[in-house]
């Protein structure tokens, strides 16, 4: 089980418009809302210039950026952050990495979307509080002791 966030270019879209974008497989290359190859390259350059340790794996449509305990999938229409409900992801070092990643994505004018709450995420602290609340629920569902 994971907490998932999506990142899209900031276009002033409503949540309904954002959800419609997720149903499309591919955007035309001239669509201003797409994650263009140039934007992808710029994000990769920023990540490589940062202190974040990340490996890249190709996918059919895009690639996966694998961090030590979470993953960012880059596709032509959005970026998807998958944050598993692991104990490691509650640690301060992981939060620092996520904050740094969030700042890089915001620098590239991408906005975070929480599809479960139907809201825009503007601050990495929102990610942490939602993640921790969801983690407790996930532990209860799985019959495990919550990680505090």
């Amino acid at each position: 089980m994971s907490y998932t966030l999506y990142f899209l270019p900031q276009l002033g879209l409503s949540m309904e418009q954002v959800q419609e974008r997720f149903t499309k497989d591919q955007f035309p290359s001239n669509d201003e809302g797409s994650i263009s190859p140039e934007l992808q390259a710029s994000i990769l350059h920023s990540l490589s210039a940062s202190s974040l340790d990340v490996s890249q794996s190709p996918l059919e449509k895009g690639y996966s950026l694998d961090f030590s305990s979470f993953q960012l999938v880059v596709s032509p229409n959005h970026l998807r952050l998958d944050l598993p409900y692991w104990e490691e992801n509650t640690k301060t070092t992981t939060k620092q990495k996520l904050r740094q990643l969030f700042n890089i994505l915001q620098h590239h004018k991408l906005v975070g979307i929480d599809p479960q709450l139907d809201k825009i995420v503007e601050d990495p602290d929102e990610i942490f509080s939602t993640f921790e609340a969801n983690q407790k629920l996930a532990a209860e569902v799985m019959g495990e002791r919550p990680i505090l």
Side-chain angles (χ1 to χ4, degrees):
M1 295 175 77
S2 297
Y3 177 47
T4 300
L5 287 173
Y6 292 92
F7 290 87
L8 294 173
Q10 292 176 344
L11 298 172
L13 300 173
S14 69
M15 281 307 295
E16 185 176 288
Q17 291 168 316
V18 166
Q19 298 212 352
E20 181 181 317
R21 294 182 76 82
F22 289 145
T23 64
K24 295 181 180 179
D25 288 334
Q26 178 80 32
F27 290 102
S29 59
N30 63 352
D31 182 358
E32 68 180 12
S34 69
I35 309 296
S36 68
E38 295 81 15
L39 178 56
Q40 291 178 28
S42 182
I43 292 168
L44 279 176
H45 176 74
S46 294
L47 287 170
S48 64
S50 76
S51 62
L52 293 169
D53 184 26
V54 60
S55 63
Q56 181 180 341
S57 306
L59 300 172
E60 184 179 334
K61 292 182 179 179
Y63 49 89
S64 171
L65 298 174
D66 301 311
F67 298 82
S68 59
S69 64
F70 57 90
Q71 179 183 55
L72 184 69
V73 175
V74 179
S75 69
N77 55 344
H78 63 267
L79 280 69
R80 186 186 77 229
L81 175 66
D82 292 320
L83 185 61
Y85 294 120
W86 297 339
E87 182 175 3
E88 181 178 347
N89 288 334
T90 63
K91 295 182 179 177
T92 302
T93 54
T94 301
K95 290 180 180 182
Q96 290 169 339
K97 290 175 188 177
L98 286 168
R99 183 171 275 110
Q100 190 174 2
L101 174 63
F102 194 88
N103 289 338
I104 289 170
L105 297 177
Q106 279 190 324
H107 173 77
H108 289 282
K109 304 205 181 316
L110 297 172
V111 62
I113 313 277
D114 184 329
Q116 296 172 3
L117 299 178
D118 282 340
K119 68 180 245 176
I120 300 211
V121 178
E122 300 181 75
D123 183 333
D125 289 333
E126 290 180 68
I127 297 172
F128 308 138
S129 61
T130 303
F131 173 80
E132 289 167 0
N134 288 350
Q135 185 184 46
K136 290 176 185 171
L137 289 173
E140 288 174 17
V141 168
M142 309 261 312
E144 298 172 0
R145 191 176 120 268
I147 300 164
L148 301 175

